[in-house]
């Protein structure tokens, strides 16, 4: 027998994708005459399914019912009773949560997902923005660098030896002992004033939002080992410097998002104080410390729970009321820095923070500034993420506005490198669009480079990472691989800027920076030695988003292409664009240009085509506009 359901077609499911809590749901199955009855099996996450008989009209079985009034995940399959007493089940293809159905004789067929959410709005300034990620130590030294250096040196950290690159263009490195532990933290000495002085550069690049990696007092150059959440690291600047940066940024249309590292602190911190650096008692002083309950000791004071086994990063119990109040209270960390001009927070390792704690952060932000943004670091599909055995509630209406879109990054890079064909890329993006509430989908941070990953140019050059530290530090792409990597980066970044979501540029990617994994992906920005062609390309992309608002809020629909050519449309009432990208290195790919697409918006490394049969050059892209739009 044959039966069919497709969650992406309105004939079979309405509404498409995630649905507002309490709204009506329509589901249907097409089946041949052998099917005598069809039953919907619908379950709230973690619960047994309820059975709903479906009405028949010709070959179509259908049912309409209201969704729950509160946010949750729902899962469904179908049970078909056939003539002769046989039963079969209809569900998703294995390891998928939507799309076309598959028929099975086993009832454990994969279910379809429905994300039921309570309405929440992601700020327009973010959804319509261009984000630039800055690693503060490595971006720019300001005129205040000598003062910052003197003030930082006056406050000594007993747990770490610091080294300063006096030469800004030095290659990055870590000083390690024989076990691999970092014992010397090298600093470039970037400052907040340096960022402020480079605001004209960011404005000309088209940036409207800056995501700053941690800026608070810490021992290391990465500053994920927070020493004091209430104080800017002295090497970076002062509270006044921060306030000026926020104010001058706003005047240029640039907002700032701060990195909130709340799952752990530094061992050399005001709160833990393992080395006695601070005068007040930290948790290592015992129960007399107001912070003692924040941490879990296995053997006081030398063995304690720490982040991924790193003893410089003792873990915090976010369920402790005093800690939650310190972070989220009226005079807490979240609200202080919003008051001083920040526009949002990015939550480091959001999957290691309890949902209850994230809700408190969101509530504090909503109370302080309803236009502020809460962004989470989540590496998988955030709609159905399970961490530490718990299904997360990021997108149900009371937690995150957006997440870092690592699923996009993964499939987009693999497509560009020839490891994933165009239809698979389209299916992955459609799966995200189906599972995410629209505000979260269009607000997803579409990154391709970050401080946690090898520089994107190095990735696209197919350069294996050496085992030796010295080779990793000095290795650069040879000319032929560098040329290939740049062409690939042009295509990948064009894809990043034209699919739904908020594009994010990792500092220096637009300048042609290379580097393997941490710390070699965190080198100093090459001021005066930027790659002019790549920088011009990124400026063209930011201008494209500005001139064509359809690229921020328009509908997204993949269209048939080839294994190499990824084709899709973006459409709104004012404009429809057709984007075609050929990732093939040698392939001249045939494409058929529909007659209504008569205007060429962008032709990258290929000629502007006339309607009808055309050929795309290798490693090329086209953006065409529909006539009359």
């Amino acid at each position: 027998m044959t039966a069919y359901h497709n969650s992406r077609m309105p004939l079979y499911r309405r509404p498409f994708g995630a649905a507002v809590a309490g709204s009506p749901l329509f589901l249907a199955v097409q089946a041949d005459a052998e099917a005598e009855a069809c039953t919907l099996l619908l379950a709230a996450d973690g619960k047994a399914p309820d059975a709903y008989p479906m009405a028949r009209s010709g070959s179509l079985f259908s049912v309409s019912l209201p969704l729950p009034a509160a946010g949750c995940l729902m899962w469904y399959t179908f049970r078909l009773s056939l003539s002769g007493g046989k039963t079969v089940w209809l569900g998703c293809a294995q390891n998928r949560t939507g799309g076309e159905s598959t028929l099975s004789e086993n009832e454990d067929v994969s279910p379809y997902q429905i994300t039921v959410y309570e309405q929440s709005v992601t700020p327009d300034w973010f959804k319509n923005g261009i984000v630039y990620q800055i690693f503060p130590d490595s971006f720019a030294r300001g005129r205040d660098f000598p003062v910052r250096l003197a003030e930082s040196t006056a406050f000594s950290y007993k747990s770490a030896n610091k080294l300063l690159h006096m030469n800004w263009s030095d290659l990055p490195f870590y000083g390690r002992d024989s076990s691999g532990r970092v014992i010397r933290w090298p600093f470039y000495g970037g400052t907040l004033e340096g960022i402020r002085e480079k605001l004209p550069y960011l404005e000309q690049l088209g940036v409207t939002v800056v995501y700053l990696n941690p800026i608070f007092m810490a021992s290391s150059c990465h500053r994920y080992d927070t020493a004091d959440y209430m104080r800017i690291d002295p090497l970076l600047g002062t509270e006044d410097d921060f306030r000026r940066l926020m104010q001058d940024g706003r005047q240029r249309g640039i907002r700032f998002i701060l990195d909130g590292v709340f799952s752990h602190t530094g061992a050399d911190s005001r709160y833990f104080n393992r080395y006695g650096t601070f005068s007040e008692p930290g948790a290592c002083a015992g129960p007399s410390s107001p912070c003692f309950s924040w941490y879990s000791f296995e053997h006081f004071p030398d063995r304690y729970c720490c982040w991924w086994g790193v003893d410089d990063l003792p873990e915090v119990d976010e369920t402790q009321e005093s800690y939650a109040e310190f972070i989220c209270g009226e005079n807490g960390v979240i609200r202080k820095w919003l008051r001083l001009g920040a526009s949002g927070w990015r939550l480091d390792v959001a999957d290691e923070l309890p949902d209850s704690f994230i809700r408190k952060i969101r509530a504090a932000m909503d109370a302080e500034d309803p236009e502020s943004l809460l962004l989470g670091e989540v590496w998988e599909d955030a709609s159905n993420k399970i961490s530490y055995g718990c299904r997360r509630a990021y997108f149900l209406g009371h937690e995150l506005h957006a997440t870092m879109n690592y699923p996009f990054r993964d499939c987009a890079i693999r497509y560009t490198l020839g490891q994933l064909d165009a239809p698979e890329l389209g299916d992955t993006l459609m799966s995200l669009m189906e599972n995410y509430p629209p505000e979260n989908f269009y607000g997803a941070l579409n990154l391709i480079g970050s401080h946690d990953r090898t520089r994107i140019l190095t990735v696209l050059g197919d350069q294996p990472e050496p085992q030796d530290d010295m080779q990793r530090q000095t290795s650069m792409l040879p000319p032929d691989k560098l040329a290939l990597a740049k062409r690939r980066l042009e295509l990948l970044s064009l894809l990043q800027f034209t699919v739904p979501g908020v594009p994010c540029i990792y500092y220096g990617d637009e300048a042609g920076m290379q580097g393997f994994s941490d710390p070699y992906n965190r080198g100093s920005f090459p001021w005066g030695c930027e790659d002019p062609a790549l920088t011009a390309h990124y400026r063209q992309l930011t201008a494209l988003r500005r001139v064509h608002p359809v690229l921020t809020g328009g509908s997204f629909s993949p269209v048939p292409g080839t294994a190499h050519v990824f084709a899709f449309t973006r459409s709104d009432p004012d404009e429809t664009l057709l984007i075609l990208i050929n990732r093939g290195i040698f392939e001249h790919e045939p494409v058929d240009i529909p007659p209504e697409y008569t205007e060429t918006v962008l032709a990258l490394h290929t000629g502007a085509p006339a309607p009808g049969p055309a050929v795309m050059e290798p490693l090329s892209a086209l953006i065409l506009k529909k006539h009359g739009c």
Side-chain angles (χ1 to χ4, degrees), residues 241-260:
D241 294 327
F242 177 83
R243 189 183 290 107
R244 278 192 295 271
L245 176 60
M246 300 299 105
Q247 291 172 348
D248 287 9
R250 284 288 186 104
Q251 289 175 3
R252 294 179 179 273
I254 299 174
R255 293 175 179 254
F256 285 81
I257 297 170
L258 305 184
D259 213 334

Side-chain angles (χ1 to χ4, degrees), residues 29 59 66 103 141 166 168 231 276 378 422 512 533 575 582 613 626:
V29 170
S59 62
L103 202 58
R141 287 175 182 167
M166 294 310 296
W168 179 256
R231 184 178 177 185
V378 182
E575 187 175 37
N582 177 20
K626 190 175 183 179

Side-chain angles (χ1 to χ4, degrees), residues 120 354-356 358-359 362 374 392-402:
S120 171
D355 284 307
S356 59
I358 296 177
R359 285 194 292 271
R362 173 69 182 272
L374 186 58
R392 305 312 302 267
Y394 301 132
F395 289 165
L396 301 187
H398 302 283
E399 294 190 19
L400 302 177
H401 291 106

Side-chain angles (χ1 to χ4, degrees), residues 118-382:
E118 297 173 54
Q119 290 183 316
S120 171
V121 176
T122 301
D124 285 342
W125 62 260
F126 181 74
K127 284 187 300 186
N128 300 335
I130 305 293
V131 179
Y132 192 87
Q133 181 188 349
I134 289 179
F135 201 72
D137 180 62
S138 309
F139 185 63
R141 287 175 182 167
R143 288 185 293 267
D144 66 334
F145 171 66
V147 176
R148 301 272 57 80
L149 181 59
E151 290 193 8
S152 176
T153 304
F155 188 93
S156 64
Y157 293 92
K158 294 181 176 139
S159 68
N161 292 314
K162 293 187 175 184
L163 295 173
L164 180 69
H165 292 281
M166 294 310 296
N167 184 351
W168 179 256
S169 60
D170 282 350
L171 296 174
F173 72 96
Y174 284 155
R176 302 181 188 271
D177 63 17
S178 58
S179 69
R181 182 188 182 95
V182 177
I183 56 173
R184 306 296 291 274
W185 290 108
F187 285 77
Y188 283 101
T191 66
L192 296 184
E193 174 62 19
I195 298 172
R196 192 180 74 86
E197 292 169 9
K198 297 299 183 182
L199 286 175
Y201 168 80
L202 297 175
E203 184 180 20
Q204 291 166 11
L205 188 60
V207 170
T208 62
V209 183
V210 171
Y211 152 41
L212 290 174
N213 285 114
I215 59 172
F216 305 121
M217 182 186 287
S219 298
S220 71
C221 54
H222 57 69
R223 298 188 174 95
Y224 281 91
D225 51 339
T226 312
D228 190 339
Y229 290 105
M230 293 297 193
R231 184 178 177 185
I232 303 293
D233 193 290
L235 186 54
L236 280 174
T238 66
E239 203 166 286
D240 285 340
D241 294 327
F242 177 83
R243 189 183 290 107
R244 278 192 295 271
L245 176 60
M246 300 299 105
Q247 291 172 348
D248 287 9
R250 284 288 186 104
Q251 289 175 3
R252 294 179 179 273
I254 299 174
R255 293 175 179 254
F256 285 81
I257 297 170
L258 305 184
D259 213 334
V261 186
F262 302 134
S263 70
H264 53 268
T265 67
D268 190 12
S269 68
R270 188 175 300 281
Y271 320 106
F272 199 73
N273 206 12
R274 178 177 178 179
Y275 304 99
T277 302
F278 298 85
S279 57
E280 61 269 31
C284 280
S288 63
S289 168
C291 305
F292 182 75
S293 64
W294 297 2
Y295 303 91
S296 297
F297 288 90
E298 298 166 358
H299 182 275
F300 182 82
D302 54 330
R303 288 207 312 270
Y304 43 87
C305 293
C306 46
W307 188 78
W308 288 76
V310 180
D311 63 3
D312 277 343
L313 304 174
E315 281 189 327
V316 174
D317 180 0
E318 300 89 356
T319 65
Q320 287 294 316
E321 185 176 342
S322 61
Y323 180 72
E325 178 66 17
F326 171 64
I327 299 296
C328 308
E330 174 70 25
N331 296 307
V333 176
I334 294 295
R335 300 182 72 160
K336 170 180 176 171
W337 298 104
L338 291 178
R339 286 172 189 153
L340 289 173
S343 292
W345 287 91
R346 175 259 191 190
L347 295 183
D348 184 55
V349 292
D351 58 349
E352 298 183 22
L353 301 174
D355 284 307
S356 59
F357 183 64
I358 296 177
R359 285 194 292 271
K360 288 177 181 178
I361 292 175
R362 173 69 182 272
M365 294 176 65
D366 287 346
E368 187 65 37
D369 179 6
E371 278 291 299
S372 61
L373 175 92
L374 186 58
L375 171 71
E377 179 192 13
V378 182
W379 288 64
E380 302 83 11
D381 181 327

